[in-house]
């Protein structure tokens, strides 16, 4: 019973933290505005009293008020940071947990290609955007609303309704403007900067390839163009900020004009109080533009996180087949070659004993990768892992490495692996000859490794899972003949694992493999 209530309990705690953080933020900003306005009034009143010959002005009460506002501002700002960030981090954690829950609940037939590394990185950024909306969007809106209400009441009480109405109308105008144009200029600037940064990082990482292509001049021209676009975007963003500042000044001037034009003209200290209080409210209202942009970003992120539609451009559907996995081995039947194969329409089926190797061979375009993807998907649906081992692990031709070290990538397969154990397995795959170790950085997407090294790193990570069925697409890509024979020898000698691999040609070391399935090579008869 307690476990079933825990999500609701955590949800209530998160909402309580968020509400408490908003209250503290409002208190802190009200104290800041009050300190700003009261300090100005106090200084002006003291100056007027000092200029008078006989003055009964008492500084005790205003002085105490200034100190009280100052203490409330310091305590409120400190407390709101603690509480709001705690609440925001809870929201980020909830969004990330929901992301992985969605991945776990996804139809296994759609897993291949759906949760790619690139998509996972973007989804993590979306989870951060959705969680941080509490600080970047909700808090500025709540603070502006509360501060405006308090300031309008204070101005109306100290002068008249006219300047208070002008101030309220000005804040509403700024809010409407921010809502209709949610930071478009700043968003364009950020987008341009992001594109420039991505291109520079990629160019530095791939400089050897670019130099060999003779693409230095073209790259310099592209980069210059992007810098020009960034300057243009910055200029547009600056103009937008200038317009916002001008609007703020006009509204403040209108409020002060209304204050001076009231029937009973206020004294100098009250006039300064209204001016400073209005300035503080309008300065806070300027944050609504950033809040509107954060709201648009968070809504888009939430939509991407909760949508049930595949987020990849590629078609993740795979042909259907009937498959089975037992203690004796695996098999499949009724597999109809898809339209993209060179001989579509043919039905395949085979049985492979436990610990044996199935080699799927054929020229490019014959349907090898599609067959392996369909088999992996079908076996995942039909079987479950035994003895804590996964039922199926598949290594695609375009697998993915996350930025970090070899060790951090391999520990995704087995979190208990130590650096020494990883180094031993790297040596088994002859990767130590290249100087690779557990602490070796792989770079973005593994770009610091060669193609042959990447294939062996992918394979080693899959072997760390010790699956019942291992499916590998083109395990010898980028390898010399000697290394390829060594890798195929490792795959051939896995007594507890049934191995399915695809190759263009069957080497001599696999001619004695348990099964070899030759896919049709042309459109001629069987």
């Amino acid at each position: 019973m307690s476990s079933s209530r825990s999500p609701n309990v955590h949800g209530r705690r998160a909402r309580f933290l968020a509400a408490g953080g908003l209250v503290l933020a409002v208190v802190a900003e009200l104290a800041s505005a009050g300190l700003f306005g009261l300090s100005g009034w106090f200084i002006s009143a003291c100056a007027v009293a000092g200029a008078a010959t006989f003055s009964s002005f008492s500084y005790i009460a205003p002085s105490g008020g200034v100190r009280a506002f100052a203490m409330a501002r310091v305590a409120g700002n400190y407390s709101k940071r603690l509480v709001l960030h705690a609440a925001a981090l809870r929201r980020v954690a909830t969004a990330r947990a929901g992301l992985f829950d969605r991945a776990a609940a996804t139809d296994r037939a759609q897993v291949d290609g759906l949760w790619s590394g690139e998509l996972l990185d973007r989804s993590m950024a979306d989870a951060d955007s959705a969680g941080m909306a509490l600080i970047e969007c909700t808090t500025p809106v709540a603070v502006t609303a509360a501060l405006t209400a308090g300031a309008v009441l204070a101005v109306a009480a100290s002068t008249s309704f006219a300047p208070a109405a002008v101030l309220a109308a000005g804040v509403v105008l700024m809010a409407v403007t921010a809502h209709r144009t949610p930071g478009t200029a700043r968003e364009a600037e950020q987008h341009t900067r992001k594109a420039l940064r991505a291109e520079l990082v990629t160019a530095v990482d791939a400089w050897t390839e670019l130099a060999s292509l003779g693409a230095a001049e073209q790259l310099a021209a592209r980069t210059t163009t992007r810098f020009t676009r960034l300057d243009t975007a910055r200029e547009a963003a600056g103009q937008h900020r200038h317009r916002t500042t001008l609007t703020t000044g006009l509204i403040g001037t209108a409020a002060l004009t209304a204050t001076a034009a009231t029937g009973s003209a206020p004294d100098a200290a009250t006039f300064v109080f209204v001016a400073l209080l209005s300035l503080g409210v309008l300065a806070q209202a300027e944050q609504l533009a950033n809040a509107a942009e954060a709201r648009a970003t968070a809504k888009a992120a939430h939509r991407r996180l909760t949508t049930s539609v595949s987020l990849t451009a590629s078609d993740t559907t795979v042909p259907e087949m009937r498959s089975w996995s037992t203690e004796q081995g695996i098999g499949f039947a009724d597999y109809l070659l898809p339209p993209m194969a060179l001989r579509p329409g043919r039905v395949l089926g085979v049985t492979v004993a436990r610990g044996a190797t199935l080699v799927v061979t054929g020229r490019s375009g014959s349907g090898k990768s599609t067959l392996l993807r369909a088999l992996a998907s079908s076996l995942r649906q039909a079987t479950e892992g035994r003895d804590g081992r996964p039922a199926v692990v598949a290594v695609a031709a375009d697998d993915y490495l996350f930025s970090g070290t070899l060790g951090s990538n391999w520990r995704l397969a087995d979190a208990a692996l130590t650096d020494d154990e990883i180094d031993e397995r790297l040596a088994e795959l002859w990767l130590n000859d290249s100087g690779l170790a557990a602490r070796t950085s792989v770079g973005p997407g593994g770009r610091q490794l060669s193609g042959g090294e990447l294939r062996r790193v992918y394979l080693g990570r899959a072997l760390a899972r010790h699956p019942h069925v291992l499916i590998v697409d083109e395990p010898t890509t980028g390898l010399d003949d000697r290394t390829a024979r060594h890798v195929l020898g490792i795959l051939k000698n896995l007594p507890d694992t049934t191995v399915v691999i695809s190759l263009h040609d069957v080497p001599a070391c696999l001619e004695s493999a348990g099964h070899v399935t030759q896919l049709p090579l042309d459109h001629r008869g069987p």
Side-chain angles (χ1 to χ4, degrees):
M1 180 68 70
S2 60
S3 61
S4 63
R5 287 200 305 261
S6 60
N8 293 331
V9 172
H10 289 304
R12 286 196 298 270
R13 288 177 178 174
R15 289 191 293 270
F16 177 78
L17 275 176
L22 290 176
V23 171
L24 290 171
V26 169
V27 170
E29 292 302 325
L30 286 175
S32 297
L35 177 62
F36 196 40
L38 182 58
S39 297
W41 177 89
F42 186 35
I43 294 172
S44 301
C46 289
V48 172
T53 305
F54 298 101
S55 174
S56 60
F57 175 73
S58 174
Y59 65 89
I60 298 177
S63 177
V66 169
R67 288 176 172 81
F69 276 131
M71 293 177 62
R73 184 185 65 169
V74 173
N77 280 324
Y78 178 74
S79 301
K80 82 167 183 182
R81 288 192 182 94
L82 291 179
V83 177
L84 279 178
H85 279 83
L89 289 176
R90 282 178 179 265
R91 291 193 172 195
V92 170
T94 301
R96 289 184 173 183
L99 171 66
F100 286 106
D101 288 343
R102 179 190 165 204
T106 301
D107 185 358
R108 292 295 179 88
Q110 298 180 357
V111 169
D112 292 332
L114 175 59
W115 293 103
S116 64
E118 181 181 357
L119 178 61
L120 186 59
D121 287 343
R122 192 183 76 183
S123 298
M124 284 294 164
D126 285 341
D128 293 345
S129 298
M132 295 303 291
L134 173 65
I135 294 177
E136 297 174 351
C137 174
T138 307
T139 300
V141 172
V143 168
T144 301
L147 189 58
T148 302
V152 166
L153 292 176
V155 171
S158 59
T159 57
S160 66
F161 180 75
V166 172
L167 179 61
V171 173
V172 171
L173 176 62
M174 296 177 69
V176 171
T177 303
H179 177 72
R180 290 186 175 180
T181 57
T184 52
R186 184 185 175 198
E187 184 179 358
E189 179 188 356
Q190 291 179 342
H191 177 76
T192 306
R193 182 185 292 110
K194 180 179 178 181
L196 175 61
R197 185 187 303 116
E199 178 151 320
L200 288 175
V201 171
T202 304
V204 170
D205 194 43
W207 180 250
T208 303
E209 296 95 321
L210 292 171
S212 65
L213 289 172
E217 292 184 2
Q218 294 89 328
L219 179 62
R222 282 169 54 96
T223 305
T224 301
T225 301
R226 291 193 181 275
F227 270 115
T228 302
R229 291 177 182 174
L230 178 59
D231 289 338
T232 303
R234 283 177 173 173
E235 183 178 355
Q239 292 177 353
H240 179 75
R241 287 191 291 269
H242 291 326
R243 288 194 296 269
T244 302
T245 304
L246 179 61
T247 302
T248 303
L250 291 175
I251 294 172
T253 302
L256 295 180
T257 302
T259 301
T262 52
S264 55
D267 54 41
T270 303
F271 188 83
V272 171
F273 169 75
V274 172
L276 294 179
L277 190 59
S278 300
L279 181 60
V281 172
L282 295 174
Q284 176 61 39
E286 288 183 358
Q287 303 300 317
L288 293 177
N290 295 335
E293 179 186 350
R295 178 176 178 272
T297 302
K299 286 181 65 177
H302 180 74
R303 183 172 60 253
R304 287 192 294 266
L305 289 171
T306 57
T307 182
S308 59
V309 181
S310 172
L311 297 179
T312 55
S314 59
D315 183 9
T316 60
T317 60
V318 293
E320 294 183 357
M321 66 166 58
R322 181 169 56 89
S323 66
W324 58 90
S325 176
T326 65
E327 292 290 343
Q328 288 71 40
I330 67 168
F332 67 89
D334 303 332
Y335 176 72
L336 185 66
L337 282 177
M340 71 281 295
L342 293 179
R343 262 290 295 280
R346 183 168 178 176
V347 178
L348 298 179
V350 70
T351 301
V352 188
R354 179 184 179 186
T357 302
L358 169 65
V359 182
V360 180
T361 184
R363 66 172 60 171
S364 297
S366 57
K368 301 187 301 297
S369 298
T370 304
L371 171 59
L372 264 60
R373 190 165 62 249
L375 180 60
S377 176
S378 180
L379 287 175
R380 287 193 189 104
Q381 293 181 357
T383 61
E384 294 293 338
R386 301 180 294 272
D387 304 326
R389 296 168 56 191
V392 185
V393 170
V395 181
D398 55 349
D399 215 328
Y400 188 85
L401 283 185
F402 290 93
S403 299
T405 63
L406 284 173
S408 64
N409 276 276
W410 277 26
R411 290 188 184 96
L412 295 174
D414 184 357
L417 284 175
T418 64
D419 284 352
D420 291 339
E421 291 173 334
I422 293 174
D423 290 339
E424 290 178 4
R425 299 191 182 194
L426 290 171
E428 292 175 2
L429 292 166
W430 292 359
L431 285 167
N432 61 327
D433 295 341
S434 303
L436 301 185
R439 297 181 181 273
T440 301
S441 175
V442 300
R447 284 191 57 88
Q448 293 185 13
L449 307 181
S450 69
E453 290 170 345
L454 279 174
R455 295 307 296 159
R456 284 178 284 170
V457 168
Y458 297 149
L459 180 59
R461 183 172 60 182
L463 290 172
R465 294 288 288 150
H466 194 45
H468 287 279
V469 181
L470 176 62
I471 299 176
V472 187
D473 192 2
E474 299 290 351
T476 60
T477 299
L479 303 181
D480 59 79
D481 292 341
R482 178 170 173 268
T483 307
R485 289 194 299 271
H486 176 71
V487 169
L488 292 176
I490 293 176
L491 293 175
K492 185 181 176 182
N493 295 287
L494 297 175
D496 294 331
T497 300
T498 304
V499 179
V500 181
I501 60 177
S502 68
L503 293 169
H504 285 290
D505 300 301
V506 182
C509 62
L510 286 182
E511 288 180 351
S512 59
H515 292 83
V516 175
T517 295
Q518 177 85 18
L519 293 185
L521 297 179
D522 52 39
H523 290 277
R524 291 173 293 189

